[in-house]
Amino acid sequence: MARPYASGPKQFVFAAGDGDDRKVSVGDPQEAYVAFSAFFRDRDADVYTIGDEPAGQSLVLMPGRGVIVRVEGADRPRSEYLRIDRADRCLPGAMLFFENGHAGLDHFGQWFSDPADLDAPPETRGAVRAAAFTTEAAAVQEVARIWADSGFVDPSDRYYVFFDSHDVDDDRAERAELLALIEFLGLERVDAPAGSASGEVWVRTDARLAAECARWS
């Protein structure tokens, strides 16, 4: 789970490759978000970078390519890559970074260490991501992450519902990942009730999943 930044002023550097870098000192995440939103919307750049030098972290937004990169570590930087389907996800990603830094983006989507994985078909990306979880504990946490992003508990308390109100053509990579993890964990998938959206996935409650989802809710 993400750990909130320490309270008090923080310094960030906003860059867009035009030489007009902005150094800002802000008192809270909302103030940082407002400042970066103005910086982001005043430009039509290919790449935007938010640097948190004291923490050794940065966030790189590439709306035209549909890619977000988070970087951690000053001496030996480690980068992870995320495919986004809409440019309007850039600013929510920035807000999560302002709130909780690198770890704040844990639940934002499927992060890959190899950028080449982003060019694979969604179902392949999902399978690659699922294969990275080799222990039950890690797989349960990932299932809970997917649920927290767009799921709910059925009113009967018997089912966890994933991709609430989404169509089957939405979230293809995460759906493929989820289905592989369901099989890996031996969770019981059930048919969605009549009238449910075509992309919803219903899973019978499980003690492992209940405990982890409670942490994310």
Side-chain angles (χ1 to χ4, degrees):
M1 299 295 287
R3 290 186 175 181
Y5 274 179
S7 59
K10 286 193 64 65
Q11 290 74 45
F12 296 98
V13 178
F14 303 156
D18 57 3
D20 184 22
D21 294 0
R22 299 286 178 86
K23 295 183 178 181
V24 300
S25 179
V26 295
D28 57 53
Q30 183 61 36
E31 187 179 347
Y33 176 78
V34 170
F36 181 71
S37 295
F39 180 86
F40 183 85
R41 290 176 173 134
D42 283 347
R43 290 160 177 75
D44 184 19
D46 294 328
V47 179
Y48 301 83
T49 301
I50 303 169
D52 180 355
E53 294 179 358
Q57 300 180 355
S58 61
L59 182 68
V60 183
L61 308 172
M62 294 179 275
R65 291 180 56 191
V67 173
I68 294 177
V69 186
R70 62 177 182 175
V71 184
E72 184 176 39
D75 297 329
R76 300 179 63 183
R78 180 174 62 88
S79 299
E80 291 184 310
Y81 304 82
L82 170 72
R83 173 73 68 191
I84 56 173
D85 53 2
R86 304 182 309 276
D88 62 7
R89 295 198 78 202
C90 286
L91 288 178
M95 184 62 189
L96 291 172
F97 184 74
F98 291 135
E99 289 179 332
N100 294 307
H102 181 280
L105 289 145
D106 284 350
H107 80 285
F108 202 53
Q110 295 179 328
W111 294 94
F112 294 92
S113 58
D114 186 347
D117 289 333
L118 300 181
D119 295 325
E123 289 74 17
T124 301
R125 296 204 311 270
V128 169
R129 175 73 173 172
F133 297 94
T134 57
T135 68
E136 178 180 288
V140 168
Q141 185 175 28
E142 178 69 356
V143 169
R145 178 198 68 78
I146 297 171
W147 173 81
D149 192 43
S150 60
F152 69 95
V153 180
D154 175 64
S156 71
D157 286 333
R158 292 187 296 165
Y159 307 105
Y160 279 92
V161 181
F162 298 78
F163 309 117
D164 176 31
S165 302
H166 291 204
D167 292 332
V168 71
D169 290 332
D170 300 332
D171 315 294
R172 289 167 55 195
E174 290 217 325
R175 182 173 291 100
E177 178 190 5
L178 174 66
L179 296 180
L181 291 175
I182 287 172
E183 182 175 358
F184 173 71
L185 291 169
L187 299 173
E188 182 182 353
R189 183 183 177 188
V190 300
D191 292 336
S196 300
S198 61
E200 290 185 358
V201 175
W202 288 55
V203 174
R204 194 175 300 278
T205 54
D206 179 280
R208 297 166 297 170
L209 189 57
E212 191 62 36
C213 286
R215 295 180 58 207
W216 285 89
S217 60

